[in-house]
Each structure stands twice: as structure tokens, then as C-alpha cells.
Amino acid sequence: MFEWFGKVNFTPHTKVSKFAEHLRDGRLMGSKCSKCGHLDFPPRADCAKCMHGEFEYVEWSGAGKLITYTRIDAAPIGFQDLDPYTVGVVDLKEGGRLVAWIGESIPESAIEIGMDLQVVPRVFDELPNIKLYYTLEVPGTTWIKAGEVG
Amino acid sequence: MKRVGIIGIGHGKFGRRTDASVQELAFEAFREALADAKIAREDIDASVIGSVPEYHKQRSLSGVVQEYLGLNPIPTWLTEDACASGSAAIRTAWMAIQSGLHDIVAVIGCQKMSELKTPEILALMGRVGEVQWESIFGTTFPGYYAMLARAHMHEYGTTKEQLASVAVKNHHYGAMNKHAMFQKEITIDKALKSAPVASPFQIFDCCANADGAAVVIMASEEKAKEISERVVWLDGLGSATTTMSVLRRPTLTSLPSAVDASRQAYKMAGVSADDIKVADVHDCFTIAEILAYEDLGFCERGKGGKFIDDRESYIGGKHPVNVDGGLKSKGHPIGTTGVSMTTEIVKQLRGDAGERQVADANIGLTHNVGGNGQYCFVHIYNRE
Ligand SMILES: [Zn+2]
């Protein structure tokens, strides 16, 4: 089900495909090596440290700090209906980084390197198939997780 | 160790070459390189093609280039390292010659990009970023370098004016280069008023996709001395990689692959950054040239903006850089660029660069980056 991940997905097959299922349920998952305990985000099936091939998913809080960003005015195929959009890179509290769109809770004028952000799982409502992504929002932003009382 | 020399160079016109196919572009540069080397094509015993195949409808490009150039039945192979494919070709030609397997090798950089539309190219180039976790957010190639620029501006106070100053310099020299796509001076004001692409970049921070070809003919020390009286020697080769993913980079204010590759090349050639009299560096975006000043050791880390402010990269400065106009004004046919850079350094070391000649240029350098730093090749050339 990794083809769910991304407005346009380029990697339908991967050993970390359950990441997308968890994201649909509102959970941002990294990987933890079953042997040495190394934590990684984006999740990896094969440990970057000790090369072990078994892992478990661990939930990340999604808290992070912005380390760089750009507002894209010239978009590639598949994204031209969205431009301009701003992508940011965040250092995640539990380790690793991710790229995501900066969401509507943050106006362009408020974007600053070093600011605290919250990664929020999202579903594209307007598309017929499941399409998942996440955005960067102000800390404290809430969302529904499957199995939790809303 | 025996040396490998460049005995011939050829360079076609870069730009939107709607008049020619990719093999016809290659032919222009090839014919010129043979004439320059004063050899016949029968003297060549292998060719290496530097090109990024995804841009062409023709699959397995080497075959059609080899046929059109009349190089059958000698062997050929293609090297691909994104925008550094041309330098990868030069490196493998050096290896082929040093191994003793071949004596004279033609390195053919050729690329046709204008058959695709800009959004298609943005999509292709954007996928030189990591596709599983990054490209799904519509990241683009300008976007990646823009994020490096943003980080550099934040950490070192580099300004948009300094970025634009790189473009002004490169257009200044490109105006004197008949092969350049844009042979026109620009002003800082014009650059700062141009259309936005990926903040902080505007149009004039970005090089243009282009069609074009360049060829160098490389030979063993023995053959080179036999054939030519003005050989330029490839004495230092460095090559390194860094992560595909921006998410796993140790730094966003430097290209670690360029730092590693340059240190290897300096060591192998027995020179230091101070010895480099002229350099062609990979200015696909204005920040890339500023990063190159720092990564190559032309100035201190974080002082790249000041380096251009002080005009140290102009002719007459400490390290003249991209006095052929760079990718910025020549255009960037991605597989060709590394070979194009090499032709310029050979010209400079021979003293053939005309009004763009750097005085007493005896040692020169090329710095060719693939993707947004995933691959880097640094080559050092010596005329002695
Ligand atoms: Zn491990």
C-alpha cells in the first residue's frame, strides 16, 4: 500500500510499505532495528548502522525544527495545480528528518529557520484513491488517530 | 606513474538547437576535436559517451552516436552521473588509458534537452532528489539548491545580491564566448527583478537547459607526446559521493562530495588550492558557485559571498572562475557540461582563450557536480 503515499507516488514497492497504513491511521512511524536498536526516519528495513534486516515500527511525535525551506513557483508535472507551494525540511525530535509542505497554519511571512513545527498526517480528500501526505503546522495542531476517541 | 594528456578539443554551439539531433551535435564537436588534435578518426581506439539517457527518445544512445561519428567497430560505453556524466566519462577514459587497454580515447559529451518541455524536465531533474520520501512533495532541482542557499544565507549571512553577483560575472564572460547560449551582460537589478523560480532563486539564479556537445581526445603519455606539441596533462582526479537524500546530508551549507573530491585531486596532482590559476566550476545555480569557492578551498567556509563581492573570481582576482560564462550563460546540456569545462581549461592552459585569457595560467581545475551534490568530480590540469 505504499502507493498511497504521495500525491504522485514513484515507489509502489518497499519493505516499509506499512508506513503508509500507519500514516492513514494518523501515525508517523520511524524504524527501530531489532538488533542494535538504531532509530531511523525515514524508516529503513535494513539497519543503516549494523546492517541487520529486521525492524519494528516506532511512533514519532512529529515534533521538529525547520532547517531550510523554499517556495516553489515553477512546479514539475503532477504538482502544477498546487503551485506556488512551500516545502520545508525539519529535524525531527526523535531523530532523522523529513520533507513536507508547510501547511496553512503558517503564513509565508512567519516562516523562519529554527522555528518549531508539528508534522501532521493528511489525506487528499479530493482525490478518488487514497493519497497520503503530511504537512508542517504550528505546534499544538491536533488530528484524529485511528482507535482514539475523537 | 605515466601521465594521460588531452590532445584535442572540440565544442559546438550551446542553446535551443532545434536544427540538430543529438548525434549531429556530437559530430560538430567531434570533427573540431579531430582537426585540433590533427589526427584521423581511425587513430581513435575507444570512445566514452557522457550523457543522461532519459532526455532522449533514442534508447542506448552510445550506439547511434558511435555509428553517426563513423567509429564502428571500436568499443564505446556510456557513463551517467546526472550533471557530472561528462566528467565521469573523462575519468573512465583516464582509467582505460592507464590500464593499457586503450591508447587514444574520444570522450564525447552530448545532450539534447529541448525535445522535452520545462515541466517535464523539472519532473525529471526533481527526481534526482530521492523519490520515495522527497519527490512526492513536488521538490524540484532548483528547489534543492534553493534550500542549500537558504541554509547558507541563514548560517553565513550570504545575500541575494551576492547570489546575483555570480550571475552578473558569468554573463559578463559569457558575452565573450561564441559557444554560449546567452551572450549578453546582465545587471544585478535585472537579476533581482526576474521571475521567481524557487525562493530565494529567481530566473537569473538558474542555468538554462540546453542542447550541445563537446569532445576531448585523450591519449597515453607516449602517444600524446608523439602526436602533439601542446599537450595539457590530466594530473589529478578526485571523485566522491554524498547522500542522494537531502534528509541524510551531514551539512546543507557545503557539498561534502566536492570537498572530498578536491582534496583527492590536489593530493594526486601535488598542488594546493593556491596553485589553481583558473577554474571552471559547476554553477548550475548561483549558490553552487559560492559553495564551490568554499568547498575547493579558494576561500574560507562562509566567505564565498565576500569572495564574489571582492571580485576574486574575476580575471585579475585570486582565482578566476568560469571565465567562459559558466553553466549560467553557456547553458547546461547536462551530460556535456563536464567535457565543456575541460575544453575551456585546456584552452586557458594553452593560452588560446583570447580576450578571456587568464595570464600565466599553468594549472587549472574543473569541478563538476552531479545532481545536488550526490556526485562530484574534480580534475586538475597542468600544461608543463
Ligand atoms: Zn542495527
Side-chain angles (χ1 to χ4, degrees):
Chain A
M1 68 293 286
F2 202 77
E3 70 264 22
W4 291 349
F5 187 47
K7 178 169 182 280
V8 181
N9 178 283
F10 304 105
T11 318
H13 304 152
T14 167
K15 290 183 179 179
V16 295
S17 64
K18 278 212 164 63
F19 171 86
E21 209 173 309
H22 288 297
L23 192 67
R24 182 200 55 189
D25 293 344
R27 292 189 171 84
L28 184 71
M29 306 300 262
S31 59
K32 182 182 178 185
C33 171
S34 306
K35 194 174 174 192
C36 78
H38 178 63
L39 293 167
D40 223 335
F41 195 97
R44 282 180 57 110
D46 304 293
C47 181
K49 274 250 163 78
C50 78
M51 297 178 69
H52 188 64
E54 287 165 47
F55 73 101
E56 55 193 278
Y57 290 99
V58 176
E59 187 170 354
W60 253 239
S61 69
K65 270 189 196 311
L66 186 69
I67 57 169
T68 191
Y69 66 97
T70 179
R71 191 186 85 157
I72 292 180
D73 290 279
I77 285 176
F79 298 90
Q80 289 161 299
D81 54 327
L82 299 179
D83 74 5
Y85 49 87
T86 300
V87 296
V89 179
V90 287
D91 264 338
L92 297 166
K93 188 178 137 200
E94 289 84 5
R97 290 179 187 157
L98 60 71
V99 168
W101 287 313
I102 294 186
E104 285 172 0
S105 66
I106 300 165
E108 196 177 345
S109 58
I111 301 171
E112 232 179 296
I113 289 179
M115 73 191 298
D116 289 316
L117 293 167
Q118 175 63 46
V119 181
V120 177
R122 302 277 185 193
V123 181
F124 267 109
D125 295 325
E126 66 269 31
L127 295 175
N129 302 317
I130 299 179
K131 294 283 172 192
L132 307 167
Y133 64 112
Y134 32 67
T135 58
L136 305 172
E137 308 288 352
V138 291
T141 303
T142 56
W143 66 98
I144 308 290
K145 291 187 188 183
E148 276 181 8
V149 181
Chain B
M1 185 166 39
K2 288 205 168 173
R3 300 168 98 182
V4 171
I6 310 286
I7 59 168
I9 57 172
H11 200 298
K13 174 86 173 85
F14 282 7
R16 284 187 66 82
R17 292 291 309 271
T18 52
D19 62 315
S21 68
V22 63
Q23 60 266 36
E24 289 165 350
L25 293 174
F27 202 97
E28 291 173 1
F30 181 59
R31 181 164 45 208
E32 192 178 295
L34 285 180
D36 181 58
K38 301 189 180 68
I39 61 169
R41 59 184 159 185
E42 291 71 27
D43 297 323
I44 292 169
D45 57 53
S47 74
V48 191
I49 315 294
S51 192
V52 176
E54 289 88 343
Y55 290 87
H56 307 113
K57 297 291 184 292
Q58 174 71 56
R59 306 320 301 162
S60 200
L61 186 69
S62 306
V64 74
V65 171
Q66 197 78 344
E67 176 194 309
Y68 194 73
L69 270 48
L71 287 174
N72 299 124
I74 65 163
T76 186
W77 61 93
L78 178 134
T79 57
E80 195 274 344
D81 261 337
C83 320
S85 300
S87 289
I90 288 171
R91 186 176 167 98
T92 64
W94 188 95
M95 294 190 276
I97 292 165
Q98 288 292 31
S99 73
L101 204 54
H102 296 294
D103 287 319
I104 302 180
V105 178
V107 176
I108 298 154
C110 54
Q111 195 80 56
K112 188 105 176 78
M113 300 175 79
S114 66
E115 289 168 6
L116 298 182
K117 299 200 179 346
T118 298
E120 290 179 293
I121 292 178
L122 281 169
L124 268 181
M125 294 294 281
R127 295 201 324 260
V128 177
E130 200 272 350
V131 303
Q132 187 173 359
W133 304 97
E134 300 175 16
S135 307
I136 56 168
F137 290 97
T139 51
T140 61
F141 197 52
Y144 279 108
Y145 268 104
M147 290 197 283
L148 302 183
R150 185 71 80 190
H152 201 272
M153 291 164 89
H154 178 76
E155 190 157 340
Y156 299 115
T158 306
T159 64
K160 278 186 61 113
E161 287 73 16
Q162 289 170 333
L163 297 180
S165 298
V166 170
V168 169
K169 171 181 71 72
N170 293 352
H171 278 268
H172 170 69
Y173 290 116
M176 303 177 217
N177 182 349
K178 66 174 179 170
H179 298 306
M181 185 170 184
F182 306 110
Q183 296 168 36
K184 235 174 134 177
E185 302 251 3
I186 62 160
T187 61
I188 295 235
D189 199 46
K190 183 173 181 181
L192 293 178
K193 281 184 181 149
S194 62
V197 174
S199 70
F201 290 160
Q202 295 166 258
I203 282 282
F204 280 100
D205 288 295
C206 310
C207 68
N209 302 313
D211 308 325
V215 170
V216 298
I217 296 173
M218 298 170 62
S220 63
E221 182 166 357
E222 206 168 57
K223 285 279 181 192
K225 284 178 170 166
E226 188 185 304
I227 293 167
S228 174
E229 282 169 1
R230 42 191 223 145
V231 183
V232 168
W233 303 100
L234 173 49
D235 282 349
L237 297 97
S239 182
T241 56
T242 191
T243 63
M244 192 73 182
S245 175
V246 69
L247 303 178
R248 298 184 189 273
R249 287 286 168 92
T251 169
L252 296 181
T253 53
S254 159
L255 301 181
S257 55
V259 175
D260 293 343
S262 62
R263 298 314 177 264
Q264 293 168 20
Y266 290 143
K267 188 172 173 212
M268 183 172 167
V271 302
S272 72
D274 288 342
D275 297 316
I276 305 301
K277 299 284 175 44
V278 59
D280 250 43
V281 311
H282 201 91
D283 62 322
C284 48
F285 299 96
T286 48
I287 189 64
E289 182 164 322
I290 287 179
L291 295 179
Y293 300 154
E294 299 175 10
D295 291 340
L296 294 169
F298 290 176
C299 68
E300 276 174 54
R301 177 71 50 209
K303 298 283 170 58
K306 185 174 185 302
F307 196 75
I308 182 73
D309 278 346
D310 295 346
R311 299 174 69 89
E312 295 287 17
S313 49
Y314 276 80
I315 293 175
K318 201 172 155 209
H319 294 285
V321 170
N322 288 341
V323 299
D324 59 350
L327 283 57
K328 190 64 204 66
S329 100
K330 283 191 299 181
H332 180 28
I334 58 175
T336 307
T337 284
V339 185
S340 168
M341 290 173 165
T342 306
T343 66
E344 171 64 12
I345 296 304
V346 169
K347 247 185 240 170
Q348 289 283 347
L349 300 197
R350 286 173 174 178
D352 286 350
E355 56 180 334
R356 298 185 290 101
Q357 181 65 46
V358 173
D360 305 319
N362 60 336
I363 296 174
L365 173 151
T366 61
H367 157 279
N368 187 194
V369 176
N372 48 64
Q374 283 91 347
Y375 324 100
C376 185
F377 294 82
V378 173
H379 294 159
I380 293 170
Y381 295 89
N382 196 330
R383 75 171 176 207
E384 314 295 339

